[in-house]
Amino acid sequence: MTSRIALCLIALVAATLIHLGVSSPLPLAQKWALATSVAPDLFEEVRFYHSVLPRLAMALLAGAALGLSGAIMQEATQNRLASPMTLGVSAGARVGLYAATVFVPGLAAAYGEWFALAGASATMALVLAIAGRQGIGGLPIVLAGMALNLLLSAVAVTLIIMNEFYVRHLFVWGAGDLTQIDWQGVSWLWPRLLIALPFALLLSRPLTLLRLGEQGASARGVPILQVLGLALLVALWLTANVVAIVGVIGFIGLIAPNIARMASARSTLDRLLSSIALGAALMVGTDAIALYGSNFTADMIPSGATAALVGAPALIWLAARQMKARDHLRFFLPKGRERMPMPALGLLALLAAALVASSFAVAVTGEGWRVEWPSELVFALRWPRIAAAAAAGVAMAIAGVVLQRLIRNPLASPDIMGMTSGASLALVASSILVGGSIHDASAGIAVLGSAAVLGLLILFGRRTDYAPGIMALAGISLAALLDAIVQFVLARGGEEAFAIVGWMSGSTYRVQADEALFLVLGAAGFLAIGLLARRPLTLVIAGDTLAGSRGLSVPLARLGMLVFSATITAAVTSVMGPIAFVGLISPHLASLLGARRAADQLFAAALIGMSLLTVSDWLGRSLLYPAQLPAGTIAAIIGGSYFVLLLARRPRT
Amino acid sequence: MLAFSRRAVLVALLVMATPTFAQTTITDSRGTQTFAEIPQRVIALSWAVVEQLVELDVPLLAVADPDGYGLWVVQPALEPGVENVGRRDEPNVERIAELKPDLIVISDDQAELAPVLERIAPVIHFTLFSLDHDNAEATRTSYLELARLFDREDLARERLAGLDAHLGALRGKVERHFGGDLPKVTAISLMDQARVRVHGGNSTSEAALLALGLDPAFPQPATTWGFVQKRVEQLGPVEEGIILNIEPFRAADQLFPSPLWQAMPFVREHRFAGVRPSWTFGGAFSIGYLAEAFTEALLTIDP
């Protein structure tokens, strides 16, 4: 044990020395003197004592807290993928703070950490409710966390758009930055973290016993629920305090405990302590990269962005090393009707058509509500938006049906698997590198991005027969990578940064007639292809052996489905920006209505997706008239909330 | 009968009022456009062009986010009763169509809205903020183009001459205050206790300072919008010259008493002052308003 801890400490000292070297030009001896005895006088000395040192201390504290928080979560859930980021807890803390800043600014300034804790706890509770007992140790809890991440970021975007100028600067803060101007932040944070430490250490023994399994643990007198509850509370407290003071910094809490484990730290206490040291070392190291990078740009680089740039590839590498090809996940659908009668499908079609028609005819105008068929001009302005929303709904629903069948997991969807992120990443990157507006970036670039993700998914998937775990992890990493790059852009401020935020919320506002037509034709084509492929879509969920015995080449079918859904995602993203949740909940609702056979599910999901996005677009145009909210954000909030309700009320198996 | 005669009088008045206006060809960022009549129902969607139209005394039918304009731009003030057509980045095109404008003026990032807006009315788009030109120069060019369209070139030249005279007078004030030995000055906008926007090359602020004869104290490369975002501590190396912070600044209570801020050479040596809220992304006249505010602030600093 001692040698391993020593190794972690050496890493920590090395990172600290590098950080000290990068962050200030003063010679090391002078730094030592300033840190210990000499009173600072020159600006560079004052800066070292009141900015560089507190920043280093903050990096150490935040890294240690995130490392410990992640380690506790992983021990409690016995899931190596658990962390404040992957469970959506950091995002929850951030939204808690955002909401407080908007609605009760006075309280938010004084009691930020409690709002962060409330947001984090609510998110944690939801994630646990969604994943259920069986899901805690596996992928379901991570997928639930990812879904909540998406929902919460939609809420954050709405808060920002509704309060345009006021909250905008929060976005930079949201990027997670360790900049300090005095010792106040550090002296605020350390006692709050220290309180948690004895609890964490005391918990290490009961947490060890949890590994024996529920029965084993309760046989030895471990009160399982109390231990779990206390452990998670400690982890949440650590995360919420860090988020309250430096914003969201991902990956540290995920990577540190995993490295600790790979360094074969055997006892729980050992792992907790190593995670503290490694978390601090990682945070200090990535912050040194951010500081070093800032030397080469006129603008500042937020620490959270470099943490994600380093962490995302690390997660993929980790996943590829650690994950087995085993597929723990069963394809389960919520209980509902067993079959969908034809008239019901007809009714659904009628409903979708009625919604589209009323979306044309009912509108707020300068003179109040109007119900009339629009004039030629208004029609020309309105139809591309409605058509694009409806078609994008159809297309994303089809992509969702295909992916959920392919991955055999009801939580799979283009947004959670990273396909949307891949397309967005390519568009955002091209807009930054080539310059110019993100709205002008071409569909080809989005296809490239989606294809790159696809390549990645295939690369990892081939070795493991496209095991769901790898797919989802790659998706999560990509989403985080995208987030990092977007954060970096936002830290530069300026109009183009906010144009990108606007685009990321998935709006029909800028859809042109030709793009809308492209999307409508595309959606029709995708539906036709999906219907033609209904046999492989049916067989692929029956299990590999059965599908193989029926003459289906499973790897080939899976590859085809991946290509198909990536194409759909790229087409939609290039026109409308990323659209979340439609691809996730439409297939669900369809099967809830009894549409379980492949063809039925495709049809019903397409109609539901169409209705959902049409209504979202209409609400977006009406709610804040004459200002508008993006359809994608509203769809994410409606879809996300429904999804959370659905899963929380799902019968336990 | 009465109505008819009133209309006849109005028509006659209109004809008399615009005796010389035949056809005007305007050059905007996308080429040339010919107008047969002076536009009467004008909607402006970016605050920079709103400023120019207000400074031409052109009555505006609607603008994007007038509340935000009142909060951030402040000067020149909008006439009361100007309609709101939504956010600047996504103005409500259906509402715009309802208002039946005969001209829509937009700028910069709004270029991509032009194809849609052109279905409603003729669109003029100016690129005011760009790395390829001097932003301050571009706003004068666009102002004169708009003046030609509204047949108010004399007024425009008069206003610009007035602006230049005003800037000259402000410059004289600054020179008298500093006794001919002019300091270097850079304007910043503190965002929060840790982050700051430095207004550098191609910014409205720097143009205003140069008009006062003041070179930058903390020179920054030219950018499209004229600012770079930095950490507050990066202001430390500004050894000489004055730093002006454009308000509002919400975190003053946290930043200003801190040892780091107090150790900044320009704070120690009292070469720092706050500037009343002024719009930093405007046109030629914003340069005037900024220069005014800067002068006020500079006069509080001992030479």
Side-chain angles (χ1 to χ4, degrees):
Chain A
M1 165 178 165
T2 40
S3 67
R4 273 192 307 270
I5 297 273
L7 219 59
C8 294
L9 287 177
I10 289 171
L12 182 56
V13 171
T16 306
L17 286 176
I18 292 172
H19 193 277
L20 278 172
V22 171
S23 55
S24 164
L26 298 175
L28 198 59
Q30 199 183 345
K31 285 174 180 163
W32 177 252
L34 282 167
T36 50
S37 53
V38 179
D41 179 42
L42 296 172
F43 175 74
E44 198 47 50
E45 293 170 352
V46 174
R47 187 180 86 91
F48 178 76
Y49 186 76
H50 289 288
S51 174
V52 172
L53 277 184
R55 179 178 185 133
L56 177 61
M58 187 55 89
L60 289 166
L61 283 178
L66 290 172
L68 179 58
S69 177
I72 295 175
M73 286 183 181
Q74 295 192 6
E75 295 296 329
T77 57
Q78 296 181 35
N79 185 338
R80 306 186 57 172
L81 295 174
S83 78
M85 177 191 75
T86 40
L87 299 191
V89 169
S90 305
R94 168 157 134 191
V95 168
L97 260 174
Y98 271 11
T101 310
V102 171
F103 299 112
V104 282
L107 288 176
Y111 305 104
E113 76 271 31
W114 294 104
F115 290 102
L117 184 64
S121 308
T123 312
M124 187 80 229
L126 273 174
V127 166
L128 289 176
I130 292 173
R133 261 229 160 126
Q134 314 287 321
I136 287 182
L139 206 53
I141 195 168
V142 178
L143 289 173
M146 192 65 197
L148 275 168
N149 264 326
L150 288 170
L151 171 60
L152 290 166
S153 72
V155 173
V157 166
T158 312
L159 285 174
I160 280 154
I161 288 177
M162 285 166 66
N163 297 275
E164 215 181 346
F165 266 108
Y166 179 53
V167 198
R168 271 183 172 190
H169 72 276
L170 277 181
F171 247 122
V172 176
W173 169 84
D177 192 61
L178 293 168
T179 306
Q180 302 296 310
I181 58 161
D182 51 29
W183 285 93
Q184 275 183 23
V186 174
S187 52
W188 182 91
L189 185 60
W190 75 261
R192 285 173 168 77
L193 298 182
L194 197 64
I195 301 171
L197 195 60
F199 289 99
L201 299 181
L202 280 176
L203 278 165
S204 70
R205 202 181 139 65
L207 282 175
T208 311
L209 291 174
L210 275 190
R211 302 191 77 78
L212 300 172
E214 265 180 46
Q215 271 142 23
S218 35
R220 294 182 189 215
V222 179
I224 293 178
L225 279 181
Q226 284 90 325
V227 167
L228 272 182
L230 187 62
L232 289 178
L233 203 62
V234 170
L236 289 172
W237 171 254
L238 291 168
T239 301
N241 276 292
V242 171
V243 170
I245 195 129
V246 297
V248 175
I249 296 177
F251 284 105
I252 305 287
L254 177 67
I255 306 287
N258 271 296
I259 299 181
R261 198 183 288 236
M262 276 184 348
S264 69
R266 248 172 255 126
S267 82
T268 306
L269 184 64
D270 215 2
R271 281 192 295 269
L272 293 183
L273 291 175
S274 311
S275 299
I276 294 178
L278 283 169
L282 274 172
M283 187 70 257
V284 171
T286 49
D287 190 46
I289 297 177
L291 284 172
Y292 187 65
S294 296
N295 293 334
F296 300 102
T297 59
D299 296 284
M300 53 177 276
I301 298 175
S303 335
T306 48
L309 282 178
V310 174
L315 173 60
I316 298 183
W317 175 75
L318 206 72
R321 259 180 71 107
Q322 299 298 324
M323 291 288 291
K324 300 284 184 311
R326 276 183 308 153
D327 179 352
H328 301 287
L329 301 154
R330 284 169 304 116
F331 185 81
F332 78 88
L333 288 168
K335 288 269 174 284
R337 293 147 67 88
E338 282 304 317
R339 279 192 93 92
M340 187 162 198
M342 271 318 269
L345 208 55
L347 221 59
L348 200 58
L350 216 60
L351 176 74
L355 284 173
V356 171
S358 18
S359 174
F360 272 108
V362 183
V364 196
T365 69
E367 286 80 44
W369 286 93
R370 279 286 157 79
V371 183
E372 63 186 8
W373 194 250
S375 68
E376 198 182 329
L377 175 62
V378 173
F379 183 80
L381 296 173
R382 217 175 269 175
W383 83 258
R385 304 187 62 171
I386 296 174
V394 169
M396 292 310 275
I398 294 168
V401 170
V402 172
L403 280 178
Q404 291 189 5
R405 285 176 173 260
L406 168 67
I407 306 294
R408 287 180 220 164
N409 189 299
L411 289 172
S413 73
D415 35 343
I416 289 182
M417 308 259 307
M419 290 179 170
T420 313
S421 301
S424 310
L425 197 59
L427 289 166
V428 171
S430 87
S431 144
I432 299 167
L433 296 178
V434 186
S437 162
I438 189 154
H439 305 291
D440 299 338
S442 74
I445 293 170
V447 174
L448 269 180
S450 265
V453 174
L454 183 70
L456 215 63
L457 290 176
I458 291 172
L459 192 73
F460 289 117
R462 264 230 314 252
R463 293 209 338 245
T464 56
D465 274 340
Y466 303 100
I470 303 283
M471 309 274 106
L473 281 178
I476 290 167
S477 307
L478 281 162
L481 199 61
L482 172 71
D483 207 36
I485 289 181
V486 169
Q487 282 172 0
F488 172 66
V489 178
L490 287 171
R492 291 162 63 193
E495 295 298 314
E496 62 276 21
F498 297 110
I500 289 178
V501 177
W503 179 83
M504 294 285 296
S505 50
S507 170
T508 57
Y509 183 82
R510 285 176 169 81
V511 176
Q512 309 276 325
D514 52 342
E515 292 170 321
L517 269 178
F518 159 78
L519 216 49
V520 169
L521 292 177
F526 295 141
L527 185 60
I529 296 173
L531 289 175
L532 285 175
R534 62 185 180 277
R535 195 177 119 83
L537 279 176
T538 309
L539 283 177
V540 86
I541 55 166
D544 297 0
T545 337
L546 184 64
S549 72
R550 297 281 179 88
L552 181 73
S553 160
V554 176
L556 203 65
R558 287 181 163 170
L559 184 64
M561 289 176 182
L562 271 178
V563 173
F564 182 52
S565 44
T567 312
I568 297 179
T569 311
V572 172
T573 308
S574 71
V575 174
M576 275 187 63
I579 302 290
F581 280 110
V582 177
L584 186 62
I585 70 158
S586 305
H588 264 267
L589 272 170
S591 45
L592 206 64
L593 291 172
R596 281 154 198 274
R597 293 185 319 177
D600 286 354
Q601 200 192 12
L602 278 171
F603 258 125
L607 290 170
I608 291 164
M610 179 171 157
S611 309
L612 179 61
L613 260 185
T614 306
V615 169
S616 299
D617 181 56
W618 181 83
L619 283 173
R621 284 184 284 125
S622 313
L623 282 178
L624 290 182
Y625 181 92
Q628 320 195 30
L629 284 170
T633 303
I634 297 187
I637 292 176
I638 298 178
S641 314
Y642 166 79
F643 179 67
V644 165
L645 269 178
L646 177 80
L647 289 173
R649 293 181 51 195
R650 153 181 70 100
R652 298 277 177 271
T653 43
Chain B
M1 197 56 201
L2 189 67
F4 172 78
S5 62
R6 190 183 289 162
R7 184 186 297 168
V9 170
L10 270 176
V11 168
L13 272 177
L14 257 174
V15 170
M16 276 168 18
T18 55
T20 52
F21 195 89
Q23 275 197 338
T24 304
T25 303
I26 293 296
T27 309
D28 72 355
S29 62
R30 300 171 306 146
T32 58
Q33 276 184 76
T34 302
F35 289 83
E37 281 168 20
I38 295 180
Q40 301 295 318
R41 298 176 64 81
V42 184
I43 294 182
L45 297 181
S46 95
W47 291 347
V49 293
V50 169
E51 171 201 307
Q52 303 195 352
L53 290 164
V54 174
E55 295 283 359
L56 283 172
D57 296 343
V58 171
L60 291 172
L61 181 61
V63 304
D65 193 6
D67 296 342
Y69 183 94
L71 199 65
W72 291 90
V73 186
V74 191
Q75 281 180 300
L78 288 172
E79 299 263 326
V82 176
E83 292 271 351
N84 177 11
V85 286
R87 283 157 47 197
R88 285 177 298 154
D89 55 340
E90 294 196 352
N92 192 322
V93 284
E94 292 185 18
R95 179 71 187 130
I96 293 172
E98 260 174 41
L99 290 168
K100 299 198 173 29
D102 55 7
L103 177 68
I104 302 170
V105 192
I106 57 177
S107 78
D108 300 296
D109 292 353
Q110 294 168 333
E112 60 209 24
L113 306 180
V116 174
L117 295 172
E118 262 163 353
R119 291 163 173 270
I120 302 169
V123 172
I124 294 183
H125 172 267
F126 291 115
T127 302
L128 298 175
F129 289 84
S130 163
L131 253 184
D132 304 333
H133 65 218
D134 177 31
N135 288 342
E137 199 54 48
T139 63
R140 287 196 175 226
T141 314
S142 65
Y143 181 63
L144 288 170
E145 281 300 304
L146 285 171
R148 234 150 45 76
L149 172 60
F150 288 95
D151 197 23
R152 293 175 191 201
E153 286 179 280
D154 293 341
L155 176 76
R157 283 200 204 90
E158 202 179 290
R159 291 262 163 97
L160 284 177
L163 174 67
D164 289 337
H166 185 49
L167 286 172
L170 292 171
R171 182 177 179 152
K173 255 190 199 176
V174 172
E175 278 170 355
R176 276 194 299 283
H177 181 71
F178 289 101
D181 185 20
L182 289 177
K184 293 183 170 178
V185 184
T186 284
I188 59 172
S189 299
L190 288 164
M191 311 291 291
D192 60 22
Q193 48 184 316
R195 280 160 282 261
V196 59
R197 277 182 180 178
V198 179
H199 299 283
N202 221 10
S203 67
T204 314
S205 308
E206 198 174 284
L209 289 168
L210 289 173
L212 294 174
L214 304 166
D215 287 329
F218 189 28
Q220 295 299 322
T223 60
T224 301
W225 294 90
F227 71 87
V228 291
Q229 200 146 306
K230 290 185 175 292
R231 295 191 303 275
V232 168
E233 62 187 55
Q234 288 171 303
L235 295 172
V238 186
E239 287 290 344
E240 50 184 281
I242 293 173
I243 297 290
L244 295 177
N245 177 46
I246 301 168
E247 288 161 357
F249 174 44
R250 288 196 171 92
D253 291 347
Q254 285 103 52
L255 179 63
F256 290 163
S258 71
L260 180 72
W261 181 256
Q262 289 301 326
M264 301 258 177
F266 59 85
V267 179
R268 279 186 180 178
E269 293 154 23
H270 306 288
R271 291 182 278 113
F272 173 80
V275 179
R276 65 177 153 83
S278 305
W279 184 234
T280 47
F281 303 103
F285 293 92
S286 282
I287 292 177
Y289 296 125
L290 267 172
E292 224 172 84
F294 286 153
T295 305
E296 271 172 37
L298 285 169
L299 294 186
T300 66
I301 292 175
D302 293 331

